[in-house]
Amino acid sequence: MKSLNLLIFGALAFNASAQTNSVSPYSRFGLGDTYHQLNARQVGIGGANLASYDALNINFLNPASYTDLQLTTFNVGFEGSLIDQIQDDPAISVRNNRSGMRNLSVGVPLTKWWGSAIALMPYSFKGYEISSSRSALSDTNVRITDRFAGDGGLNSIIWGNAFKVAEGLSLGINAQYVFGSIRENTIVDYSNETFYDTRLEEENQISGMLFKAGAKYHYQLPNDRFIAAGLNFQNASSLQSDNLSYQYTLSGFSPVDTLRGGSTTAGEFNLGSEFGFGLSYGAKASGAMQPSWGVNVDYKSTNGADFRRPDGSGELVNAYQLNLGSFITPRQSFKNLERSTNFFSNVEYRMGAYYEKMPFQLSNTDLYNYGITFGLGLPIKQRSQAPGEFKVSTVNIGVMAGRRGSLENGLIQEEYLSFFLAVTFNDKWFIDYKYR
């Protein structure tokens, strides 16, 4: 595997459509590009959400947060991204894009001490087409082109529950069912027709359960200030896999001989543990549903070195991530705006930043992913409501601008601009109307 890592960045060729969920050569490793599980609001504050208080949005990063929900919450979210991929040696620049639905979720405050949420969202994406070239050892006049391609991805269904066990303290757990398929092809192509080309086709059908625990403590300070701490932990886990593989030789585009065909083997992908800790400080008036402003900071780590494929190989390293975010709603934060009816004084403004050491080390080079984020929460005006009825609707916008990878040692650098759009509906259920 180490020799392969040195080859795949020798030369670069991409071919991806707008509907491909991943168009990154880095999705070749592990289970692909792992989705961050953030909604559009959380993107806007840099992904710093482990301790954040939010009564109107579902926070799947910390399952203990579901007790914060005060209204039944429905969210649907989408992403669109532009990605520039650059390599210095050889000098190549490619622009790609991706788009798709990223979040479909519902959260319900079942009682004052119990909140529950369920979601359908991606787990990981795989999509790449890479080529490298080298000389044959037996004859330097014969050129060999190694081609690597992959597509597919994994989806997940998350069901989480949180319980308030003491004043300000909540505990929660997510059960996440992961399922999907990943397809990968490898072709060894000789420039001399006296040599047969070789092709390996593999498909992994993957499924399994993951469990994430969370805890959150919220302490109210004088003058409507608060401080909160949150953490999550996912233990080392495994996903079951059925691998179907074919290996055969080619003359031109025609198969000549099957070297290994139609074999299906059962195995498992082993995943390392994950841990995160976060702090939040802000202002929330007594009786208010949402904080008027807040500052959040998170630290997350992943034991990527524990990752193993079914054949026992592992290509990941340990990784970490730092997140910083803040938000403010002017009308709730400044006394002179308390009676304001101006639309923009009711908008929630968000910004953040993140810095990540990625779980890859290629050509003895550590890779990093970092960027800044911005976001808006645009309230939707509601019709007249009946006594006791309470509804809130928000259009959430998140923008993420970042860079990952490296130009050192013939590697690839990606610069991306991602847009996240979500509509969140909040409603109070179980109202017994006497008059309407």
Side-chain angles (χ1 to χ4, degrees), residues 197-383:
D197 301 336
T198 304
R199 182 177 185 124
L200 173 63
E201 298 179 356
E202 294 183 285
E203 180 174 354
N204 284 289
Q205 297 282 348
I206 300 171
S207 64
M209 295 293 300
L210 304 176
F211 295 92
K212 178 178 290 183
K216 187 168 176 288
Y217 182 70
H218 182 97
Y219 183 74
Q220 198 70 30
L221 300 170
N223 300 319
D224 294 332
R225 300 295 192 267
F226 70 85
I227 188 169
L231 60 85
N232 67 8
F233 176 75
Q234 182 172 294
N235 63 317
S237 310
S238 61
L239 298 175
Q240 302 305 306
S241 172
D242 289 327
N243 176 272
L244 177 63
S245 63
Y246 290 90
Q247 187 175 13
Y248 51 90
T249 56
L250 294 166
S251 177
F253 295 100
S254 303
V256 176
D257 188 24
T258 300
L259 304 178
R260 187 178 72 211
S263 61
T264 301
T265 56
E268 60 183 26
F269 286 85
N270 293 316
L271 311 180
S273 60
E274 300 177 7
F275 171 78
F277 177 77
L279 294 172
S280 179
Y281 176 75
K284 179 179 179 295
S286 177
M289 187 166 291
Q290 288 286 80
S292 55
W293 62 267
V295 178
N296 305 334
V297 60
D298 284 359
Y299 170 82
K300 308 179 183 81
S301 65
T302 303
N303 289 328
D306 292 338
F307 173 84
R308 291 294 181 273
R309 289 178 176 269
D311 61 5
S313 63
E315 64 251 22
L316 304 185
V317 298
N318 294 338
Y320 64 83
Q321 185 176 155
L322 296 171
N323 308 84
L324 177 66
S326 62
F327 61 90
I328 187 170
T329 303
R331 184 182 177 187
Q332 298 176 16
S333 303
F334 304 105
K335 286 188 176 182
N336 62 325
L337 295 177
E338 286 180 352
R339 298 180 180 275
S340 173
T341 59
N342 185 284
F343 173 81
F344 295 101
S345 66
N346 287 287
V347 171
E348 185 180 70
Y349 300 88
R350 308 154 186 158
M351 65 182 302
Y354 57 93
Y355 183 86
E356 176 192 11
K357 179 183 179 293
M358 298 169 65
F360 321 121
Q361 188 183 66
L362 304 175
S363 299
N364 295 317
T365 304
D366 289 329
L367 302 178
Y368 295 90
N369 174 35
Y370 53 91
I372 56 176
T373 66
F374 304 93
L376 297 172
L378 308 175
I380 301 175
K381 186 176 181 180
Q382 300 293 318
R383 61 173 175 79

Side-chain angles (χ1 to χ4, degrees), residues 393-408:
S393 298
T394 309
V395 174
N396 286 301
I397 300 171
V399 180
M400 180 185 295
R403 173 183 292 169
R404 72 173 188 168
S406 174
L407 293 176
E408 297 179 11

